[in-house]
Amino acid sequence: MLTDLLTADVIRLHVGCDNWREAVKSGTDLLVDKNCVEPRYQQAIVGNHETLGPYMVIAPGIMLAHARPEDGVKKLAMSLVTLKEPVAFGNKTNDPVKLLITLAAPNRNSHLTALSQLMELLMNAEDIRSIMDATKKEAVLAIIRRYS
């Protein structure tokens, strides 16, 4: 369930980042701190972005950062970070990014329920705007609970 993954300890709001690499690091650091991923997971996300382009910027203002399970995932996890100032990732259609969700999946199937719930949330522009503007984690968690 989405509420099992996106808890207060993996949410940071209005984080200051100077560039997309710092934004990615802000999301992965939360998962490293919880021992959900190895530090190399961040490098894998950055490497994917550099090699494959900004495909992880999935909608206007939203990035779903991820890499492969073998890139250092220890257990299923997600983090959610909103940026103080939006950051360009090089996606002409969907830049700049204000909301960064980092997904760590240990296999091909364990994340599908949570990802489905997340996609429902991402399709609601009003709730996404509320998350991007939120100043308190509880406001974000209340929105997430409606999709779990």
Side-chain angles (χ1 to χ4, degrees):
M1 301 289 278
L2 197 56
T3 53
D4 296 331
L5 298 178
L6 287 176
T7 55
D9 55 340
V10 291
I11 295 174
R12 287 189 60 210
L13 305 176
H14 297 282
V15 176
C17 295
D18 291 329
N19 57 59
W20 66 267
R21 283 181 179 82
E22 286 181 15
V24 168
K25 185 177 187 318
S26 70
T28 56
D29 280 353
L30 292 167
L31 301 182
V32 170
D33 292 347
K34 284 194 64 174
N35 202 31
C36 297
V37 299
E38 298 171 14
R40 66 188 175 105
Y41 195 67
Q42 176 202 341
Q43 285 92 28
I45 293 170
V46 169
N48 286 345
H49 181 78
E50 290 173 338
T51 304
L52 303 172
Y55 75 94
M56 290 182 259
V57 182
I58 60 170
I62 303 170
M63 179 180 192
L64 180 60
H66 61 281
R68 299 192 51 79
E70 60 269 21
D71 290 326
V73 176
K74 295 180 178 182
K75 63 183 177 181
L76 180 61
M78 273 188 198
S79 67
L80 183 150
V81 174
T82 63
L83 303 177
K84 188 182 296 183
E85 296 297 327
V87 173
F89 278 77
N91 185 304
K92 291 178 185 175
T93 305
N94 295 325
D95 268 348
V97 169
K98 173 104 171 133
L99 172 62
L100 184 114
I101 298 165
T102 303
L103 170 65
N107 57 52
R108 300 182 81 171
N109 298 315
S110 61
H111 64 292
L112 296 179
T113 298
L115 188 61
S116 174
Q117 293 169 347
L118 177 64
M119 291 302 113
E120 275 189 63
L121 167 59
L122 295 178
M123 289 189 290
N124 186 318
E126 185 177 323
D127 284 343
I128 291 302
R129 176 58 45 210
S130 295
I131 289 173
M132 288 180 178
D133 294 340
T135 57
K136 298 200 181 313
K137 290 181 184 182
E138 185 49 47
V140 174
L141 291 169
I143 293 168
I144 291 168
R145 279 193 289 273
R146 294 202 307 258
Y147 293 88
S148 290

